Amino acid sequence: MPTEALLARFLDDLAPLRPLAVWAHGSLGGGDYQEGRSDLDLIAVLPGPLSPASVRRLIVLHRHLRTEPLAQKLHCSYLTPPTAADPERPQLTWAHGRIMRRPVTPVTRSELHEFGRVLHGEPPAALLPSVPDRELRAFVAADQRDFWRPAVDKALLWTEDIWVDLGLLTFARATVTLREGRLISKRQALTELPVLGAPAEVVEDVARRRYGRQGPGPAPDRRARLTRAYLGPAIDALVAGHR
């Protein structure tokens, strides 16, 4: 299986840096992983500190992985024990073929505690503080308000599959988290969307493309109009209800 082969090589190549733990979250942790479509979302905890030499070694490691199938979908954030507790601290991350720094969000941290897959070493509870319910809800509401709601007004984005898929699925997941305080997978979110009043033909289109169901989808322009007309008011109502 290409996924398992890639993970095995990644762990072998990372071993000289003596990781304390390596975890999978997202689809791979939550049981909704689809090989070739889903990202491989990983977190590694290294002894630290991450010196310039360590960063260079990590860049070389990821560049050497490029020959492996699915390597472009492998994203990993690197924590150290002194920095792991801060959800706002930008952490060294390899994603989309380059090195960057970005926080490990409360959603990711909650996923790790609820259904993270331990690939190596200690479990998340041993190294990562749990996320208070209030903090998780506040982050989810802010993400809908500050990122997704402004994006709805950018019409051109919504002609692309990825925006339609993630916009709708993230909204459904956010709704369940704010309503019930729990996390759900993208597959579970898809079943929530009809109940939440999402346009049926768009939901069917997402299901067709993501899960191999049959049938033609709406034209991109029509799909964009339907999605934006639904998501704008839906996000406004969701955020207003959380205040």
Side-chain angles (χ1 to χ4, degrees):
M1 183 177 180
T3 299
E4 297 303 324
L6 175 60
L7 291 173
R9 180 175 170 186
F10 173 72
L11 292 174
D12 286 345
D13 290 354
L14 191 63
L17 289 169
R18 300 180 293 113
L20 304 176
V22 181
W23 310 312
H25 61 100
S27 298
L28 190 61
D32 192 26
Y33 179 74
Q34 298 179 78
E35 189 166 80
R37 177 181 292 277
S38 301
D39 287 335
L40 290 159
D41 296 313
L42 308 180
I43 301 287
V45 184
L46 302 180
L50 294 180
S51 66
S54 299
V55 174
R56 287 194 294 271
R57 291 180 70 179
L58 289 169
I59 292 171
V60 170
L61 180 158
H62 283 282
R63 287 177 174 170
H64 284 173
L65 284 178
R66 286 176 175 172
T67 58
E68 292 283 341
L70 307 180
Q72 75 280 4
K73 293 186 173 295
L74 189 151
H75 311 309
C76 187
S77 290
Y78 294 93
L79 310 181
T80 63
T83 68
D86 186 354
E88 297 184 0
R89 182 188 181 103
Q91 306 287 357
L92 189 75
T93 299
W94 179 270
H96 309 295
R98 63 186 180 92
I99 205 77
M100 62 182 74
R101 290 187 181 273
R102 66 186 185 189
V104 177
T105 71
V107 169
T108 293
R109 292 165 180 267
S110 297
E111 287 181 355
L112 287 168
H113 279 279
E114 289 196 23
F115 50 73
R117 175 179 166 184
V118 177
L119 303 176
H120 169 80
E122 298 282 354
L127 298 171
L128 202 65
S130 60
V131 180
D133 181 68
R134 178 181 296 179
E135 182 179 318
L136 175 62
R137 291 173 187 263
F139 176 83
V140 167
D143 183 56
Q144 289 291 301
R145 181 189 67 234
D146 300 336
F147 179 80
W148 286 105
R149 185 59 183 88
V152 171
D153 294 330
K154 300 174 182 177
L156 189 60
L157 296 177
W158 300 89
T159 61
E160 300 178 22
D161 293 349
I162 188 67
W163 282 92
V164 174
D165 291 6
L166 291 185
L168 288 169
L169 295 175
T170 302
F171 169 73
R173 297 174 82 182
T175 299
V176 172
T177 298
L178 292 176
R179 184 179 65 203
E180 303 174 23
R182 64 186 179 95
L183 300 175
I184 61 172
S185 70
K186 291 176 182 175
R187 187 182 290 271
Q188 291 171 316
L190 192 62
T191 67
E192 288 286 334
L193 283 168
V195 180
L196 295 173
E201 65 182 284
V202 180
V203 175
E204 290 166 6
D205 181 58
V206 175
R208 177 184 59 80
R209 286 182 293 96
R210 294 186 68 86
Y211 299 106
R213 300 181 187 176
Q214 300 300 313
D221 286 349
R222 174 175 171 79
R223 185 183 65 179
R225 288 195 302 272
L226 289 170
T227 303
R228 294 176 63 229
Y230 167 72
L231 270 183
I235 292 174
D236 290 341
L238 179 66
V239 171
H242 180 67
R243 290 172 184 163

